[in-house]
Amino acid sequence: MKIIDRLREDGIHISFEIFPPKTDAGYDKVIRAAEEMAGLKPEFISVTYGAGGGTSKNTAKIASYIKHDLHVESLAHLTCASSTKDEVRSVIASLKEQGIENILALRGDISEDMVFPSEDRFHYAYQLVEEIRRHGDFCIGAACYPEGHVENEHKEDDIKYLKQKVDSGVDFLTTQMFFDNDIHYNFLYRIREAGITVPVLPGIMPITSARQMKRSCELSGTVFPRRFQAILDRFGDSPKAMEQAGIAYATDQIIDLLANGVKNIHIYSMNRPEVAAAIMHNISEIIQC
Ligand code: FAD
């Protein structure tokens, strides 16, 4: 089923995320995590592509397992910067062959050792969206950045390019993680004003260790509010306390979003079903309202 059809339905829709293993040895562990997450009955589980340390070759396989064996809808991420156009086309064909209906279309990060830009590659996600559209009837999601994308000095440019991306055929957006909901509300206001009307899924990352916070900062350039910094200063050296506080913080963000009328929320559950389960437990009554 297409995710956009689910998002349009009444009720609250919570989704999770899995990243593929770095090596084949880790495959079974990831599958077990997906199975446990499926048991929490999310709207869908997304599977990253070469992100979070995972390799891209297993993305389609895991997304297919989630959809066909666990009977939970899946969203396969696909990036284009690190592959040639032909390689990207063959991944799209393979996703189609495996019955995957939903793709999150991304450019991917540019590393110093990459030949980029280059003639044989798509340079921006909007070009990938156009290419996926040419291949058939997929539901297409894309990324957006409430605090602005790190490569863009001006937020207005970010929104202008986001509009171009959405107009090229995007059905819904998922945000980069953020830790201050006001930043999200302000972003929503600005993109709606710019004529971007597709559903936006806020991406909530439960930060459960100091190391994870440092890595998240490096990857996304996100701002950590003083309230979160205080939690880290006080509990950062006590892993169990930090995990509990991180789950509580993410829960608090989610409750505030739901209270303010947000219906769809993506949790960056990062192969940690126990973290996803704790959050679902914390909001079990709330999502029935
Ligand atoms: P784009 O939309 O192409 O934007 C990239 C930059 O180019 C932005 O600064 C944008 O403003 C600018 N730009 C866009 N169009 C134009 C234009 N026409 N002219 C000039 N400038 C333009 N990475 C992975 O490797 N694997 C994953 O699975 C993954 N999943 C992600 C999921 C989410 C929800 C998010 C938010 C990010 C994810 N990422 C992933 C990271 C993502 O690949 C990076 O943030 C990347 O740097 C940008 O990707 P994009 O698709 O947003 O690119």
Side-chain angles (χ1 to χ4, degrees):
M1 184 173 184
K2 298 208 167 49
I3 286 171
I4 185 61
D5 294 332
R6 296 260 174 102
L7 299 180
R8 287 200 185 112
E9 285 168 10
D10 286 345
I12 288 161
H13 309 117
I14 308 280
S15 51
F16 300 140
E17 187 154 305
I18 285 274
F19 59 87
K22 277 186 202 159
T23 61
D24 288 344
Y27 187 78
D28 288 347
K29 202 169 164 209
V30 173
I31 288 297
R32 274 200 302 280
E35 285 167 355
E36 284 183 49
M37 283 187 206
L40 300 169
K41 308 227 173 308
E43 212 54 52
F44 66 87
I45 299 178
S46 71
V47 187
T48 67
Y49 191 84
T55 61
S56 48
K57 70 172 184 160
N58 282 321
T59 299
K61 195 170 159 193
I62 296 171
S64 173
Y65 181 77
I66 290 170
K67 182 179 170 74
H68 301 297
D69 295 75
L70 302 181
H71 308 292
V72 169
E73 199 44 73
S74 63
L75 171 66
H77 293 206
L78 173 60
T79 67
C80 57
S82 58
S83 314
T84 64
K85 289 179 183 173
D86 282 344
E87 285 164 347
V88 169
R89 287 181 188 117
S90 90
V91 178
I92 300 170
S94 140
L95 289 170
K96 195 172 176 180
E97 233 173 70
Q98 297 186 57
I100 304 296
E101 291 178 82
N102 305 286
I103 301 179
L104 193 75
L106 301 144
R107 184 198 66 184
D109 285 323
I110 311 293
S111 58
E112 276 173 15
D113 56 339
M114 266 165 67
V115 190
F116 195 88
S118 117
E119 268 300 295
D120 68 347
R121 282 161 205 235
F122 297 109
H123 295 165
Y124 297 110
Y126 84 88
Q127 296 163 329
L128 176 60
V129 173
E130 290 172 346
E131 184 64 27
I132 298 169
R133 278 272 165 256
R134 280 193 279 275
H135 283 255
D137 187 23
F138 288 101
C139 164
I140 304 177
C144 63
Y145 303 84
E147 293 173 66
H149 186 257
V150 278
E151 288 167 32
N152 246 335
E153 263 182 57
H154 303 292
K155 285 191 176 159
E156 302 80 57
D157 287 345
D158 234 31
I159 292 188
K160 180 176 84 184
Y161 295 133
L162 183 62
K163 173 91 170 83
Q164 176 190 33
K165 181 159 72 175
V166 170
D167 288 348
S168 65
V170 168
D171 293 302
F172 69 93
L173 294 165
T174 305
T175 76
Q176 179 61 282
M177 65 186 97
F178 57 86
F179 298 91
D180 176 349
N181 286 2
D182 284 343
I183 291 175
H184 179 67
Y185 299 134
N186 186 278
F187 172 70
L188 270 186
Y189 177 78
R190 285 182 294 123
I191 64 168
R192 297 305 187 214
E193 272 221 309
I196 298 170
T197 58
V198 294
V200 178
L201 280 66
I204 299 300
M205 170 79 91
I207 296 283
T208 54
S209 71
R211 198 170 57 104
Q212 191 193 354
M213 176 182 174
K214 190 166 169 279
R215 189 164 150 68
S216 301
C217 257
E218 286 164 3
L219 281 176
S220 66
T222 192
V223 175
F224 283 89
R226 284 227 315 260
R227 196 163 79 86
F228 191 89
Q229 192 62 53
I231 289 176
L232 195 79
D233 290 347
R234 176 71 180 82
F235 306 117
D237 292 334
S238 319
K240 290 221 159 104
M242 186 58 220
E243 179 162 324
Q244 203 169 43
I247 289 169
Y249 193 94
T251 302
D252 190 47
Q253 273 192 283
I254 292 171
I255 293 173
D256 178 71
L257 288 164
L258 296 174
N260 280 285
V262 172
K263 277 183 9 161
N264 309 308
I265 294 177
H266 186 64
I267 300 176
Y268 289 112
S269 45
M270 307 296 289
N271 297 7
R272 303 230 15 220
E274 71 284 9
V275 171
I279 294 176
M280 291 308 275
H281 173 75
N282 287 347
I283 58 172
S284 58
E285 293 299 327
I286 290 165
I287 55 178
Q288 306 301 326
C289 279

